[in-house]
Amino acid sequence: MADGREIIYFDSDPVARTATDTRDLPPTDTHSQVRFDPLLGEWVVIASHRQTRTFLPPADLCPLCPSRPGHPSEIPESDYGVVVFENRFPSLSAGRADLPDHVEGSPETLLRNGFGRCEVVCFTSDHDSSFARLDPDRARLVVDVWAQRSAELGAIDGVAQVYCFENHGEEIGVTLSHPHGQIYAYPFPTPRAVTMAANVARHRRAHGSNLFGDLLGAERAAGLRVVAGNEEWTAFVPPFARWPYEIQLYPHRRVADIPDLDDAQRDGFAHLYLDVLQRFARLFETPMPYVAAWNQAPRSVAPREDWWLHLQLFSIRRTAHKLKYLAGSESGMNVFISDTTPETVAAELREVR
């Protein structure tokens, strides 16, 4: 790209990609920090440069649409299948500054460079589409993209966890409405992964079995909270769901991360995920905002042979016209109070046609 960032095109069939980025862009110069919260034992990312990122541009000025005469965008080509590029406003970046070991005036607060990488994944060149409207072949191509990028980013020295996700809907906080997701390569294992890994290890010691697998097996056997499934995957509402509408998708055969998925699993996921997303889209008259979050094995937290890849899909919408706000209990104490019951939600989603 004109400012030195990398862009990668993914196509189902060979396509000559020869367009060049003609924009006059200054080189990217971002320096994030991570600061360690000694009370919670968690890292916090400081990325103040993101205050100036693009915010809800009109459709004719969308930076994720293909370039056209008079309007060069982030994608130089006039059309594309799936494209990945480095975020111009990344939360984490490869830039390194000389920093002290601790935050000034707080010797208990460790300070490090916000090393990592943040990428944007555009699912389609059609601005008015969505992941739910992709055909199975395109959805499968996106799975392959996630796998390729996860493998490449995970091999970078200093990266501890790769996180593929999609924010969908303005209520979620999306600032660009074009169908896209993101990939973060973190320099530390995320708090969610650390907690799950500790509980999986504890379960292994106590019961000699895999906690992920036991949960999946119980849900498949009971069927109460299963929304949909196929030979390779099951989608169910977790019995402990904290979000008003939440589904988790598990492969029947355990793998640690997306690159480990074989062809049958990738095909099976593409079909089931489209089914689930379409149920989300049709449940209410108003669009369903959501977050889709892949839980891949982090480095050096739990044995890969005990991690079970899964995708968490959840929404903050609790009725057709009401949102779930993370207020005092959720935001202050991280204790979620659900406005729905998992069994009722699963039954509702099963009925959607």
Side-chain angles (χ1 to χ4, degrees), residues 132 227 244-247 274-284 286-291 313-316 345 349 352:
V227 175
Y245 286 87
E246 178 180 349
I247 298 177
L274 289 174
D275 178 341
V276 170
L277 284 182
Q278 288 160 10
R279 291 172 191 266
F280 257 41
R282 293 194 294 265
L283 182 62
F284 299 128
T286 51
M288 177 79 91
Y290 66 78
V291 173
L313 177 71
F314 61 90
S315 178
I316 59 174
V345 167
L349 290 170
V352 175

Side-chain angles (χ1 to χ4, degrees), residues 132-167:
R133 296 176 187 167
L134 301 181
D135 62 49
D137 288 341
R138 175 61 59 83
R140 164 60 198 266
L141 178 58
V142 175
V143 177
D144 291 337
V145 171
W146 285 330
Q148 194 273 347
R149 299 312 301 150
S150 293
E152 183 160 322
L153 296 177
I156 296 174
D157 186 32
V159 168
Q161 185 176 345
V162 178
Y163 173 47
C164 304
F165 65 101
E166 180 194 359
N167 299 324

Side-chain angles (χ1 to χ4, degrees), residues 78-350:
S78 59
D79 195 15
Y80 62 83
V82 179
V83 68
V84 176
F85 60 88
E86 289 181 83
N87 197 325
R88 183 163 175 79
F89 302 96
S91 301
L92 303 160
S93 66
R96 297 181 184 270
D98 291 329
L99 298 175
D101 291 336
H102 302 84
V103 172
E104 182 179 3
S106 180
E108 294 80 15
T109 307
L110 301 178
L111 176 64
R112 301 288 185 270
N113 278 288
F115 172 81
R117 178 152 161 146
C118 296
E119 297 183 341
V120 177
V121 183
C122 295
F123 305 135
T124 171
S125 60
D126 183 356
H127 180 88
D128 297 319
S129 186
S130 66
F131 202 117
R133 296 176 187 167
L134 301 181
D135 62 49
D137 288 341
R138 175 61 59 83
R140 164 60 198 266
L141 178 58
V142 175
V143 177
D144 291 337
V145 171
W146 285 330
Q148 194 273 347
R149 299 312 301 150
S150 293
E152 183 160 322
L153 296 177
I156 296 174
D157 186 32
V159 168
Q161 185 176 345
V162 178
Y163 173 47
C164 304
F165 65 101
E166 180 194 359
N167 299 324
H168 177 81
E170 190 172 331
E171 299 96 328
I172 289 292
V174 172
T175 57
L176 298 174
S177 60
H178 193 104
H180 74 286
Q182 299 180 67
I183 304 176
Y184 278 19
Y186 293 107
F188 49 80
T190 62
R192 178 180 176 85
V194 170
T195 298
M196 283 196 292
N199 288 323
V200 167
R202 187 178 299 112
H203 187 86
R204 171 68 70 184
R205 291 192 298 269
H207 303 284
S209 59
N210 185 293
L211 177 56
F212 293 118
D214 289 351
L215 289 170
L216 172 62
E219 291 306 314
R220 294 182 68 193
L224 292 172
R225 290 167 292 273
V226 171
V227 175
N230 55 34
E231 291 185 0
E232 299 292 339
W233 293 75
T234 293
F236 62 90
V237 180
F240 42 80
R242 59 184 58 196
W243 300 97
Y245 286 87
E246 178 180 349
I247 298 177
Q248 296 190 7
L249 286 77
Y250 274 71
H252 298 162
R253 180 177 62 81
R254 190 204 65 79
V255 297
D257 53 27
I258 304 172
D260 282 350
L261 294 171
D262 62 22
D263 285 338
Q265 289 175 311
R266 296 184 188 197
D267 287 339
F269 173 81
H271 284 87
L272 182 60
Y273 187 45
L274 289 174
D275 178 341
V276 170
L277 284 182
Q278 288 160 10
R279 291 172 191 266
F280 257 41
R282 293 194 294 265
L283 182 62
F284 299 128
E285 294 180 0
T286 51
M288 177 79 91
Y290 66 78
V291 173
W294 278 107
N295 289 264
Q296 302 198 79
R299 284 185 182 175
S300 67
V301 169
R304 282 180 61 85
E305 59 268 20
D306 252 355
W307 192 271
W308 204 302
L309 172 74
H310 58 285
L311 182 134
Q312 181 191 26
L313 177 71
F314 61 90
S315 178
I316 59 174
R317 188 172 296 285
R318 58 187 177 93
T319 71
H321 305 289
K322 296 178 181 178
L323 299 180
K324 167 67 176 179
Y325 293 101
L326 302 189
S329 186
E330 294 85 0
S331 296
M333 286 290 108
N334 199 28
V335 176
F336 277 66
I337 300 172
S338 180
D339 302 287
T340 59
T341 59
E343 295 74 23
T344 301
V345 167
E348 285 181 41
L349 290 170
R350 281 196 299 268

